[in-house]
Amino acid sequence: TQSTFANLELAGNNTVSLGSNVYVAGTTNIMGTTSVASGAALVVSGLLTAASGTDLSALANLSVIGNGSGFPLVHGVGPANVYLSSGGTINAPAGTETLPTHLTVTGGSVLDIGANNLTIAGNLTYTTASGARLYMTNASGMLTVNGDAYFNAAEMGNADLTAGTLQLKGNFTAQ
């Protein structure tokens, strides 16, 4: 079972318990010092913004799906893993942004860094045979991975990684 919302806003200094997976078709805003307590998944098809002071660590995972979805802006404690599985292109947030957890890109999704500076605090995984890709074609773009990076190199095209800086601080595996 899952609960479905057009948009979702969690505000205040509360703990919110999710009894089942939650699907949000639009914008999700988590503000204040809200903690999300559950083992459920949060699936977002729009933009998710979690303010500083929020805690999503009890979520089973956070998935971003759907064409035109935004890269999740998590400024508090992140969930164990964020999945980009939109099947379309998701642009890195404008400017400088840090995702405070692991990132898995799958399902034909494309993460386009553009001229932005994105840091992944945990591991970055491009799953095997998923059709997922990383685009870095702007010299100003920078992707930093503080954990390990796993790429299924067979999924990367010849023109996908032509400019910018890819900084890998952990183990690197390309297959």
Side-chain angles (χ1 to χ4, degrees):
T1 64
Q2 79 176 17
S3 299
T4 303
F5 299 93
N7 296 296
L8 179 64
E9 183 171 302
L10 305 174
N13 303 320
N14 307 309
T15 298
V16 177
S17 296
L18 304 180
S20 64
N21 292 343
V22 173
Y23 172 77
V24 183
T27 301
T28 303
N29 289 313
I30 304 171
M31 301 177 293
T33 57
T34 301
S35 284
V36 178
S38 77
L42 178 59
V43 180
V44 178
S45 185
L47 176 63
L48 175 127
T49 303
S52 178
T54 59
D55 186 347
L56 306 181
S57 63
L59 284 174
N61 64 60
L62 168 63
S63 294
V64 177
I65 65 169
N67 240 348
S69 296
F71 191 91
L73 304 174
V74 180
H75 297 132
V77 178
N81 208 337
V82 171
Y83 294 89
L84 299 184
S85 51
S86 71
T89 298
I90 296 178
N91 295 316
T96 299
E97 189 70 37
T98 297
L99 182 69
T101 188
H102 304 295
L103 177 65
T104 300
V105 185
T106 187
S109 299
V110 174
L111 174 57
D112 189 347
I113 301 302
N116 305 300
N117 183 341
L118 178 63
T119 297
I120 308 301
N123 299 332
L124 173 64
T125 302
Y126 277 78
T127 58
T128 303
S130 72
R133 300 167 82 113
L134 172 63
Y135 284 173
M136 293 187 71
T137 59
N138 187 309
S140 299
M142 182 169 193
L143 175 61
T144 301
V145 180
N146 289 336
D148 297 338
Y150 170 81
F151 290 90
N152 179 2
E155 301 295 342
M156 300 296 171
N158 290 336
D160 291 356
L161 302 173
T162 60
T165 301
L166 178 59
Q167 185 177 42
L168 305 175
K169 296 185 176 183
N171 295 317
F172 174 68
T173 304
Q175 297 184 358

